[in-house]
Amino acid sequence: ISPDIVVCDIMLDEIDGFEVLNQIRALEQFIHLPFIFLTARADFMDKRRGMNSGADDFLTKPFMAKDLVETINSRLTISSQKKVSVVNEIKKNAVDIFFSVSSKEYLNPLESIVNLSDTAIHQLNNEQYSNLKMLLTEINNEGRRVLNTTHKLRWFNQLANNINPWAKPANRGMINIKDIQN
């Protein structure tokens, strides 16, 4: 279970709140977890130290319950907006990557496949068999290049959508080329 927010006092028995904050921020999954300090110490240096360590807010004791609720709600709203922003940025990056990759990693090899296969067909029609093996090898290489790029883009898309692309689902809907040949 992952927390939505941390509310922590600075003065604790075993370690202080600054150490709690440092330990939480050291965990990758909690880098953006909203963190609010409660403190009886209204010292500017403590606040500055907390903010420099990654605290999101401070409440000085004594405080009213209403202030705590408002602060928590505010931090949860900001955190939610950041998550939406990150998801949108990932999707935008996926589109940008697709467009930048599409010409280099799709159009170039596909043009090669068409040109090489046209040449192979022409040679077959003219019964010129000497270069066919080389042409078919190049067609195969370019096809594999497109296939590898497609796999990478699919994996990126799955990762961007929190799907493990290497999990072994019951059926991915993949077609085995050997099944087609039979």
Side-chain angles (χ1 to χ4, degrees):
I1 297 176
S2 181
D4 292 324
I5 195 164
V6 174
V7 179
C8 182
D9 201 326
I10 289 179
M11 294 183 284
L12 302 170
D13 292 335
E14 308 250 339
I15 60 174
D16 65 13
F18 296 114
E19 183 58 28
V20 171
L21 176 59
N22 288 334
Q23 288 180 19
I24 287 173
R25 291 294 187 246
L27 301 171
E28 186 176 337
Q29 70 268 30
F30 297 135
I31 285 177
H32 300 291
L33 180 67
F35 192 100
I36 300 171
F37 268 129
L38 302 178
T39 182
R41 298 165 26 181
D43 183 277
F44 174 78
M45 294 306 290
D46 284 334
K47 286 184 180 181
R48 178 58 34 220
R49 180 178 172 202
M51 297 304 271
N52 288 342
S53 297
D56 295 292
D57 216 328
F58 269 84
L59 280 177
T60 306
K61 296 177 188 177
F63 55 86
M64 299 188 60
K66 176 182 134 238
D67 293 333
L68 177 60
V69 170
E70 285 177 359
T71 302
I72 289 172
N73 284 335
S74 171
R75 289 298 155 193
L76 288 174
T77 299
I78 290 169
S79 176
S80 176
Q81 290 169 345
K82 284 181 183 177
K83 287 177 187 173
V84 168
S85 178
V86 166
V87 167
N88 288 338
E89 189 65 26
I90 288 171
K91 287 179 181 178
K92 180 189 174 298
N93 287 341
V95 169
D96 290 346
I97 288 170
F98 175 77
F99 283 120
S100 70
V101 165
S102 65
S103 66
K104 179 181 171 196
E105 297 299 327
Y106 278 111
L107 294 179
N108 292 350
L110 289 174
E111 287 173 358
S112 292
I113 289 169
V114 169
N115 291 334
L116 291 166
S117 63
D118 284 345
T119 302
I121 290 167
H122 176 74
Q123 288 187 2
L124 278 172
N125 288 336
N126 293 321
E127 297 181 10
Q128 299 170 337
Y129 306 113
S130 61
N131 292 329
L132 283 180
K133 182 176 181 181
M134 186 259 322
L135 289 171
L136 291 173
T137 301
E138 287 302 314
I139 291 169
N140 185 273
N141 290 340
E142 295 298 323
R144 288 181 185 281
R145 182 174 163 195
V146 171
L147 183 63
N148 287 336
T149 299
T150 303
H151 282 304
K152 289 176 188 174
L153 287 172
R154 188 170 132 227
W155 294 335
F156 179 80
N157 183 49
Q158 289 172 323
L159 289 171
N161 289 293
N162 295 321
I163 299 169
N164 180 353
W166 298 279
K168 296 186 179 184
N171 183 358
R172 283 194 183 185
M174 306 251 329
I175 298 171
N176 187 338
I177 193 72
K178 291 178 183 170
D179 295 337
I180 295 172
Q181 292 172 339
N182 292 335

